[in-house]
Amino acid sequence: MVKIGQIELGEFPLLLAPMEDVSDPPFRAVCKEGGADLMYTEFISSEGLIRDAAKSRQKLDIFEYERPIGIQLFGGDIGNMVGSAEIATAANPDLIDINYGCPVKAVACRGAGAALLQDIPKMVQMTAEIVKCTHLPVTVKTRLGWDDKTKNIVEVAERLQDIGIKALTIHGRTRVQMYKGEADWTLIAEIKNNPRMHIPIFGNGDVDTPQKALEYRNRFGVDGIMIGRAAIGYPWIFNEIKHFFKTGETLSAPGMAERVRATKKHLEFSVRWKGDRLGIFEMRRHYSNYFKGVPDFKPFRTRLVEVETEAEVMAILDEVIEAYSTSLVTA
């Protein structure tokens, strides 16, 4: 049984990665139904929480069906990170996660996210202060290092464990790599096999099929796998992986009726949480993902991103089911 503090996650948990502008409550709703064992909010700016910015505050919204769920924070100022951790604790998540891995310039160039990989003493100090300020388990998500010359994740893992984090997720790339090239899980395995380490170690990067999930579990010995981009528009991946682990069989790809059902659920939650106008607008980015690989879908997608009411979207989705009712849709 894998545990983060007292949170039981099963024998080999599958985690949904925190993704900016993706991992909001509507998206998490379909991923929870799809089999995710632990989910995280979008990463939240510590400065935004301290300033009481509406967008940052809204990201604190969590729902009982999502549990266990973690709130992920990022920032470069220790005082602000401590203050934001206290605010996040009051929102009553199951854990607090610290982002030391985001590679984008808007974050890293402000001394946050992956930038802390260039200042390990500050990273350790920041983490220690956050651990002290909350009664919740504190976890960390990070990368192998800043670049190929500074892959210091082994040192980072030991030092963060020593000051009290309860789990560590490692993306198998450096900051310089961004999301390019192939993720290197060999250092993740080295940390998992380090006799000094006793907290759960989760791997992240490039797992997009049940077969690869099984291979990485067996090759690298991690306690669980975090999945990000592969779940966008395909929340079924979690249950597909679990089924493959148990049976060795690959589930059939979701048919059109199931794709439409998930899209409708996502849309309904989006409108309910964000309001009609914003909920419909922000849902537009998801249609191409839910129907990726479907032949001749472009005319439907064009209409879906043009209409402005929930009823119109629902009517088009009903048309989609009818149009593809006699054909087999595969991913």
Side-chain angles (χ1 to χ4, degrees):
M1 174 67 69
V2 176
K3 297 174 68 175
I4 298 177
Q6 298 303 310
I7 305 168
E8 296 185 352
L9 297 175
E11 294 300 322
F12 191 83
L14 302 176
L15 289 60
L16 173 65
M19 294 177 282
E20 177 69 356
D21 293 328
V22 176
S23 302
D24 58 12
F27 179 74
R28 298 197 303 264
V30 293
C31 287
K32 184 70 175 183
E33 186 178 77
D37 296 304
L38 173 62
M39 304 188 295
Y40 298 84
T41 63
E42 299 173 76
F43 70 173
I44 304 175
S45 164
S46 59
E47 294 179 4
L49 285 184
I50 295 297
R51 295 195 312 269
D52 203 27
K55 184 176 181 181
S56 295
R57 284 280 180 173
Q58 189 183 34
K59 290 180 181 179
L60 293 174
D61 287 356
I62 55 178
F63 299 85
E64 284 302 310
Y65 73 82
E66 299 184 284
R67 296 190 186 279
I69 185 161
I71 290 176
Q72 191 187 72
L73 304 171
F74 77 95
D77 180 86
I78 294 176
N80 284 347
M81 283 291 283
V82 170
S84 67
E86 292 171 344
I87 294 169
T89 298
N92 196 32
D94 297 285
L95 60 87
I96 301 293
D97 189 74
I98 310 173
N99 182 309
Y100 292 138
C102 181
V104 300
K105 288 183 179 180
V107 173
C109 291
R110 297 204 324 247
L116 275 299
L117 287 164
Q118 296 180 297
D119 191 347
I120 303 307
K122 182 178 179 181
M123 178 196 287
V124 172
Q125 182 186 358
M126 180 182 290
T127 307
E129 294 299 320
I130 293 171
V131 168
K132 285 188 284 188
C133 85
T134 179
H135 68 278
L136 297 171
V138 175
T139 62
V140 164
K141 184 172 189 284
T142 188
R143 290 183 169 234
L144 301 179
W146 181 260
D147 56 26
D148 284 340
K149 297 179 181 178
T150 57
K151 290 183 178 180
N152 47 18
I153 188 60
V154 174
E155 175 195 355
V156 167
E158 291 182 352
R159 294 183 67 177
L160 293 181
Q161 177 183 258
D162 290 347
I163 52 92
I165 71 166
K166 300 302 182 183
L168 177 65
T169 300
I170 305 164
H171 183 104
R173 291 181 174 87
T174 64
R175 187 271 168 178
V176 169
Q177 278 184 275
M178 300 291 286
Y179 295 98
K180 298 176 182 178
E182 185 177 348
D184 178 7
W185 283 54
T186 56
L187 278 177
I188 303 175
E190 184 177 333
I191 292 162
K192 175 57 191 172
N193 294 325
N194 182 347
R196 279 204 60 210
M197 301 299 295
H198 55 78
I199 60 174
I201 303 298
F202 304 120
N204 175 228
D206 294 351
V207 175
D208 54 9
T209 66
Q211 292 78 8
K212 190 175 287 187
L214 181 62
E215 177 193 353
Y216 280 30
R217 184 189 72 172
N218 293 341
R219 281 181 60 193
F220 303 111
V222 291
D223 294 295
I225 291 173
M226 178 177 280
I227 295 171
R229 289 173 290 172
I232 299 175
Y234 205 84
W236 306 277
I237 189 169
F238 302 99
N239 279 332
E240 288 184 2
I241 290 171
K242 291 177 179 180
H243 182 81
F244 188 74
F245 281 180
K246 289 180 181 179
T247 68
E249 298 174 353
T250 302
L251 286 173
S252 299
M256 184 57 73
E258 176 57 26
R259 290 171 186 251
V260 169
R261 190 196 66 80
T263 306
K264 285 184 173 182
K265 178 173 182 174
H266 195 158
L267 172 66
E268 289 170 351
F269 202 131
S270 183
V271 169
R272 191 162 70 246
W273 186 60
K274 302 175 184 178
D276 289 340
R277 186 173 179 277
L278 186 61
I280 290 167
F281 177 76
E282 293 196 350
M283 188 64 194
R284 290 173 178 172
R285 69 170 73 110
H286 293 284
Y287 296 129
S288 60
N289 295 313
Y290 275 114
F291 299 100
K292 184 177 181 180
V294 175
D296 304 317
F297 191 78
K298 186 176 180 181
F300 284 111
R301 181 188 175 279
T302 299
R303 292 172 60 198
L304 286 167
V305 300
E306 289 177 346
V307 297
E308 298 182 352
T309 69
E310 182 179 358
E312 288 175 304
V313 175
M314 292 296 188
I316 295 171
L317 290 173
D318 288 339
E319 288 183 41
V320 169
I321 292 180
E322 181 67 25
Y324 289 89
S325 61
T326 59
S327 62
L328 180 64
V329 177
T330 56

